[in-house]
Amino acid sequence: MSKRPPVDATLTTAWQELSQHATAFQPDLRGWFAADAGRVERMTLDAADLHVDLSKSLVTPEIAQTLLDLAEQVGLAERRDAMFSGERINVTENRAVLHTALRAPADATVMVDGKNIVADVHAALEHMYHFATEVRSGEWKGITGRRIRTVVNIGIGGSDLGPMMAYEALAPYRHLDLECRFISNIDPTDAARKLADLDPASTLFIVSSKTFSTLETLTNARLCRDWLISNLRARGLMRVDDKAAISRHFVAVSTALDKVAEFGIDPANAFGFWDWVGGRYSVDSTIGTSLAIAIGHDRFAEFLGGMHMMDEHFRTAPIERNVPALMGLLNVWYRNFLDAGTHAVLPYSQLLHRFPAYLQQLTMESNGKSVRWDGSPVTSDTGEVFWGEPGTNGQHAFYQLIHQGTDLVPADFIAFANPAYPLVDGEQDVHELFLANFFAQTQALAFGKTAGEVRAEGTPERIVAARVFPGNRPTTSIMAPDLTPTVLGQLIALYEHITFVQGTVWGIDSFDQWGVELGKQLAQQIVPALGEDDEALKAQDASTQALIDYYHRHRSE
Ligand code: F6P
């Protein structure tokens, strides 16, 4: 399977039919709702705890059926099964893709190279849980005997965004006496500001890097190591050697345990994972150590349990009732047939304020590709730009374009029946006001407001056109009772699988990320040009030389 060339989706009969549907397409959500009393029921699905309303999608039953045909014709089910069974579907890196094994129950079997990896996964989790419990209880102490009060995760990309997003999302579940901070950017401002008010004696650093070779992370790790030692000394707290201090204040998460040891971190304080976990799919591995410390063993296990529930749904539900499959196929329809270049994710939950940023790496690093897994050029447009902000903030910023702009922006709206923090304004439950906005926005986007309706409100004729809402702007509404660890796990796995479905249709390897390499290499070559190395400067293109020249003229001595 993994070695098989991708099916060219554009050559399937389903693709041809979708093209015909698109040519004659007259979206009419008002008409479709009026004519079809069963639409909402038919197009609303439950997957684990997620309640997903697809009825405001821009599809007729015929188009929906043709998308299912497309799934069949590109072999979606076979490729899904190949992923779950550990085939090396990440062909450019010759790796299995088994983030789903990270949340498999202990009695599951997942074979890689003739070995059941589930036991290893659970051993690594137990190691992490044990450590997290020690930090939470205060049993793990810093070098001066103080308990840990601040955990600083040093990582970037998948080694930052997942734990950081989940730490924010699960704020109500955090340990009250422990704070996590996340240093990711090589902009020294990040480390400077995050460290500024910390007590070194009660700070624990987790260096999180799959490869343990990422410039940003290793630079920040060194900065933090120096900060720790110099601040312990300055406060007269260091009565032992650096190594002893580092062993109480630095742990690491990586697949490259040899490099961890080279950095000076005690291998006993290193948490491993495996090359079959992609960085952007790794929040459920030991990369989640900071999160496990924040929310504890039981909640982290629930988080993994939620992911597993969604995995099981994706693995076993028939495609026509399979939420990630349907959402992925709808995205293909919007991207390839209705020319939607972007996709908004709009959580009506302040706790999910970093969820769109997290999804940007998941979706765009996975599917922003121009070649297929056999190296041939893609035959259609691929990954859309994912973006978003929590509602209602976005309503007062960019929703204007979604409602009345010239681009089609499909949007996922996410909300919870219960607030994490119930508050009332006089008699008014504020969460209800919030939800009213959630419901109103998808209604306005779907059904719009006609010129006749605008006129009927007495609007002067000269501004009628400006006040018309065209409607037929597609949305998916995702609801759950509460934003619990389980539900967050389900949401993450949902989007992982949506991403996989789209990648499968486009025939691309959604698990490599070669497009990040060139910039990294060039940055290394440019470093000497910023100093005194004239040869390195002359080797740059004219624009880069001029920009570096500007930098030289304006930097303070
Ligand atoms: O540069 C991109 C990337 O490789 C991501 O895919 C990854 O999540 C991130 O860098 C961090 O990598 P690492 O965990 O190896 O430090």
Side-chain angles (χ1 to χ4, degrees):
M1 166 75 201
S2 42
K3 298 275 179 297
R4 234 181 275 157
V7 173
D8 182 345
T10 65
L11 300 179
T12 62
T13 56
W15 194 278
Q16 305 311 321
E17 281 172 38
L18 288 167
S19 301
Q20 283 160 17
H21 283 304
T23 311
F25 193 52
Q26 299 276 343
D28 182 16
L29 281 166
R30 280 192 185 213
W32 296 341
F33 268 71
D36 180 0
R39 183 177 173 97
V40 174
E41 198 184 330
R42 211 176 49 249
M43 297 182 74
T44 299
L45 299 162
D46 289 301
D49 297 311
L50 304 186
H51 181 74
V52 182
D53 178 1
L54 301 172
S55 67
K56 297 191 191 90
S57 303
L58 275 200
V59 285
T60 59
E62 296 72 36
I63 294 169
Q65 180 54 52
T66 317
L67 287 168
L68 296 175
D69 295 343
L70 179 67
E72 163 106 46
Q73 291 170 19
V74 299
L76 174 62
E78 292 78 12
R79 190 163 163 82
R80 173 197 62 191
D81 295 346
M83 175 176 74
F84 275 95
S85 67
E87 279 191 40
R88 291 175 184 264
I89 64 166
N90 177 357
V91 287
T92 71
E93 296 179 318
N94 192 28
R95 289 175 184 164
V97 173
L98 278 173
H99 44 282
T100 52
L102 296 170
R103 50 258 192 164
D107 58 358
T109 304
V110 182
M111 303 299 286
V112 173
D113 299 333
K115 184 171 185 243
N116 181 11
I117 56 169
V118 176
D120 291 352
V121 166
H122 281 265
L125 280 175
E126 283 312 319
H127 186 200
M128 177 183 80
Y129 287 145
H130 178 75
F131 175 67
T133 305
E134 282 195 340
V135 175
R136 286 168 66 83
S137 68
E139 204 179 315
W140 180 281
K141 298 206 182 334
I143 192 69
T144 68
R146 272 186 217 168
R147 65 181 293 173
I148 300 301
R149 296 290 179 198
T150 310
V151 173
V152 179
N153 185 77
I154 308 168
I156 197 164
S159 300
D160 165 68
L161 286 162
M164 181 269 291
M165 176 277 290
Y167 177 75
E168 293 296 312
L170 299 177
Y173 297 90
R174 289 179 199 159
H175 190 297
L176 291 177
D177 296 326
L178 273 165
E179 184 198 359
C180 291
R181 296 186 183 184
F182 297 85
I183 297 179
S184 54
N185 203 331
I186 200 168
D187 178 346
T189 310
D190 200 12
R193 290 184 60 89
K194 303 261 172 64
L195 296 176
D197 58 344
L198 291 185
D199 163 28
S202 58
T203 299
L204 174 79
F205 294 95
I206 305 176
V207 187
S208 298
S209 175
K210 178 177 167 180
T211 54
F212 224 77
S213 60
T214 303
L215 178 72
E216 290 88 339
T217 300
L218 292 190
T219 305
N220 279 322
R222 282 188 294 270
L223 287 179
C224 290
R225 190 177 56 187
D226 292 350
W227 174 89
L228 174 82
I229 301 297
S230 58
N231 278 276
L232 284 172
R233 282 193 204 296
R235 294 175 195 209
L237 296 171
M238 273 287 276
R239 292 191 184 82
V240 289
D241 63 4
D242 295 3
K243 212 170 150 213
I246 290 167
S247 76
R248 299 313 295 168
H249 292 271
F250 270 80
V251 301
V253 180
S254 185
T255 59
L257 298 180
D258 48 338
K259 293 191 181 136
V260 171
E262 257 170 54
F263 182 86
I265 292 177
D266 185 347
N269 298 338
F271 302 93
F273 65 113
W274 304 271
D275 71 357
W276 38 259
V277 183
R280 54 194 175 275
Y281 298 86
S282 67
V283 60
D284 44 348
S285 71
T286 48
I287 286 289
T289 300
S290 52
L291 179 65
I293 293 171
I295 65 173
H297 170 287
D298 293 357
R299 298 304 194 181
F300 197 89
E302 287 166 22
F303 174 64
L304 297 184
M307 297 181 111
H308 180 64
M309 285 161 87
M310 187 56 67
D311 293 343
E312 284 302 280
H313 170 83
F314 182 51
R315 196 175 66 79
T316 62
I319 298 291
E320 67 276 11
R321 307 291 300 165
N322 192 310
V323 173
L326 294 173
M327 288 180 71
L329 291 167
L330 283 167
N331 288 354
V332 168
W333 167 244
Y334 299 137
R335 176 76 185 111
N336 295 118
F337 299 93
L338 302 188
D339 204 23
T342 84
H343 190 107
V345 179
L346 309 168
Y348 277 64
S349 164
Q350 189 59 32
L351 292 168
L352 285 178
H353 72 116
R354 296 300 283 157
F355 193 55
Y358 169 78
L359 290 184
Q360 286 187 324
Q361 188 198 12
L362 174 63
T363 58
M364 291 157 71
E365 204 173 68
S366 295
N367 285 340
K369 315 266 165 80
S370 301
V371 293
R372 299 188 295 167
W373 73 65
D374 63 351
S376 61
V378 294
T379 53
S380 66
D381 285 331
T382 62
E384 25 350 4
V385 173
F386 276 75
W387 59 285
E389 282 287 326
T392 60
N393 295 7
Q395 291 176 202
H396 300 273
F398 53 77
Y399 277 38
Q400 164 69 40
L401 182 148
I402 306 182
H403 281 287
Q404 290 187 317
T406 53
D407 281 310
L408 184 75
V409 183
D412 299 342
F413 281 69
I414 303 170
F416 303 94
N418 298 298
Y421 301 94
L423 292 176
V424 288
D425 173 24
E427 297 290 292
Q428 177 65 56
D429 174 344
V430 179
H431 187 65
E432 269 184 8
L433 277 182
F434 186 40
L435 282 184
N437 277 276
F438 166 82
F439 296 124
Q441 289 297 327
T442 62
Q443 193 177 57
L445 288 163
F447 306 117
K449 193 171 188 180
T450 64
E453 288 165 346
V454 175
R455 279 192 196 99
E457 290 175 341
T459 307
E461 195 55 34
R462 66 188 168 78
I463 56 167
V464 165
R467 300 192 61 173
V468 166
F469 287 73
N472 292 318
R473 312 264 155 155
T475 60
T476 293
S477 297
I478 302 173
M479 295 193 72
D482 298 273
L483 180 53
T484 58
T486 318
V487 165
L488 181 66
Q490 292 169 24
L491 278 171
I492 294 171
L494 169 66
Y495 280 92
E496 287 177 350
H497 298 320
I498 292 170
T499 303
F500 174 80
V501 170
Q502 293 182 242
T504 297
V505 173
W506 294 324
I508 56 186
D509 180 344
S510 300
F511 303 99
D512 63 14
Q513 57 284 319
W514 298 106
V516 302
E517 293 303 324
L518 181 58
K520 289 185 193 175
Q521 279 168 18
L522 295 182
Q524 294 288 7
Q525 290 168 22
I526 287 174
V527 172
L530 302 185
E532 302 302 315
D533 188 336
D534 281 352
E535 288 310 307
L537 183 59
K538 281 188 206 131
Q540 308 305 320
D541 66 87
S543 164
T544 307
Q545 283 192 40
L547 290 166
I548 293 174
D549 179 55
Y550 176 91
Y551 160 67
H552 282 153
R553 284 184 287 109
H554 289 83
R555 71 178 161 189
S556 322
E557 288 312 320

